[in-house]
Amino acid sequence: SLGFGRTDVDSITGAFVATAKDRRTFESLSITYGTDMGKWQVQGKASYLGSKDKFNTTPSTTSKLNQVRIGGQATYDAGSVLPYVGVTFIRDVSTPPPIFGSANDRDAIQLQAGVNIYSKGPLSGGLSYSYEANRKEIKNNVFVANLSYRF
């Protein structure tokens, strides 16, 4: 998949505030394999992710991040409720300059847990949480809730 986005970035240092526009492009390539084992579904996934940010600062600054991710997930089929856990190894192949990223946090382990809930009707939803461990200077905790309506 390919994508494009725009972001406003505010950097605050003491009483000084700097604002910059960010033009971001990103790409990804993934392969996934899954198999059923009774009430369990096990999946493995390998991905390559890349992003490039171009800030309209003076002078113009570019930041690139490329990652390789390898992981797996186990889901239990409990009827309309499907809890899951997963683990992913993340390797930053190329990282942004130290002003945008950390020079010594190239590897991480991402732990995931969540639940998807399905009904016989048109509504479904889910909750998930992921945490990146093994990084000293970069924190990444994500909580996601979703609600879907089929029509």
Side-chain angles (χ1 to χ4, degrees), residues 57-71:
T57 55
T58 304
S60 180
T61 305
T62 300
S63 173
K64 296 178 185 176
L65 174 64
N66 295 299
Q67 292 182 330
V68 173
R69 294 175 174 229
I70 300 171

Side-chain angles (χ1 to χ4, degrees), residues 76-141:
Y76 182 75
D77 184 355
S80 61
V81 176
L82 287 91
Y84 64 88
V85 294
V87 62
T88 302
F89 171 76
I90 302 169
R91 172 72 173 173
D92 295 345
V93 178
S94 66
T95 58
I99 192 169
F100 296 110
S102 172
N104 62 356
D105 278 355
R106 294 182 70 101
D107 297 326
I109 301 292
Q110 184 182 62
L111 307 172
Q112 307 108 15
V115 62
N116 291 313
I117 303 166
Y118 297 94
S119 69
K120 293 181 182 178
L123 285 177
S124 63
L127 298 170
S128 69
Y129 175 75
S130 67
Y131 165 77
E132 276 188 19
N134 200 42
R135 293 201 194 253
K136 295 176 185 156
E137 296 181 25
I138 299 172
K139 302 294 181 207
N140 190 10
N141 299 300

